[in-house]
Amino acid sequence: MRRLLFGLLAALTLLAGCGVGTDAVAGSGEFQFVAPGGETRIVYDPPESRGPVTDLRGESLMNPGSEVGIADFPGTVRVINIWGSWCGPCRTEAPELQAVADAAAGDAVVLGIDVRDDRQAALDFKTDRGLSYDSIYDPAGRTLARLDGYPRNVVPSTIVLDREQRVAAVFLTPVGSSDLMPLITRLADEPAPAGAPGAD
């Protein structure tokens, strides 16, 4: 009976995604991750409650030898997706993220963090699905490790930053455009950070 129970729990885990974890986001000041009490979709409001993320940066998957990071897109909403070509749910999620990148162009960008992956397999994954957004190629997880306490075994997962580079939402589960577009629209309508294009 105990083996059967463990088997059922393992099956539910696989259905939820390629990995599971018990960490999520909270806190004031610099953004840190804490146990979410079972929550997998967390939105942070009001804006003053959001913790900032310092620049996440690493080698570009699509342009080897150059770097890409969240600071390259100032004044925009940033959708950071942690993925791998080996991840089953990522195959369904990726076209949804491309749809978000297309629909929200000008207001938001999508940036992946490709983990535990082979570069050619990752490039083939992107080509096969017509993905135009870039990713940080992070096979060893060094970039992801800069997010203190982030559950590295939860793949796919998504972090949404507002225009001031603060964490507005975390999804520890696969997401679709219907999850992201209303959030992006709301965040894009918030006052622009001082000095950003479009700010007063």
Side-chain angles (χ1 to χ4, degrees):
M1 178 64 76
R2 186 175 295 174
R3 288 181 181 176
L4 178 60
L5 179 59
F6 287 154
L8 288 172
L9 288 172
L12 288 172
T13 292
L14 288 173
L15 287 173
C18 292
V20 294
T22 57
D23 292 345
V25 192
S28 58
E30 180 69 19
F31 188 68
Q32 295 182 339
F33 293 82
V34 297
E39 293 180 74
T40 58
R41 296 173 176 232
I42 307 162
V43 176
Y44 294 90
D45 278 314
E48 295 75 22
S49 69
R50 300 172 189 159
V53 173
T54 55
D55 191 27
L56 292 177
R57 176 167 296 278
E59 185 178 5
S60 165
L61 173 64
M62 299 175 75
N63 300 290
S66 63
E67 289 193 342
V68 64
I70 59 174
D72 296 338
F73 310 99
T76 63
V77 175
R78 278 147 282 192
V79 178
I80 306 167
N81 178 252
I82 294 90
W83 68 281
S85 65
W86 45 268
C87 165
C90 297
R91 297 168 194 160
T92 301
E93 184 183 61
E96 292 286 310
L97 291 165
Q98 181 62 54
V100 168
D102 293 340
D107 289 326
V109 295
V110 175
L111 179 66
I113 300 180
D114 177 34
V115 296
R116 305 198 303 272
D117 216 346
D118 170 80
R119 183 186 291 275
Q120 190 56 55
L123 288 170
D124 290 344
F125 180 98
K126 292 180 76 70
T127 299
D128 292 346
R129 288 159 182 80
L131 307 181
S132 63
Y133 58 88
D134 202 356
S135 290
I136 297 169
Y137 180 55
D138 192 30
R142 292 189 182 94
T143 298
L144 192 56
R146 295 176 198 161
L147 291 170
D148 185 28
Y150 193 84
R152 294 171 61 181
N153 61 327
V154 180
V155 181
S157 60
T158 301
I159 303 167
V160 181
L161 305 182
D162 67 16
R163 295 197 288 169
E164 295 192 52
Q165 213 162 289
R166 302 171 300 185
V167 176
V170 172
F171 298 86
L172 300 173
T173 183
V175 294
S177 58
S178 61
D179 300 306
L180 294 172
M181 286 305 300
L183 176 62
I184 289 170
T185 299
R186 181 166 64 82
L187 294 174
D189 285 342
E190 291 178 353
D200 294 330

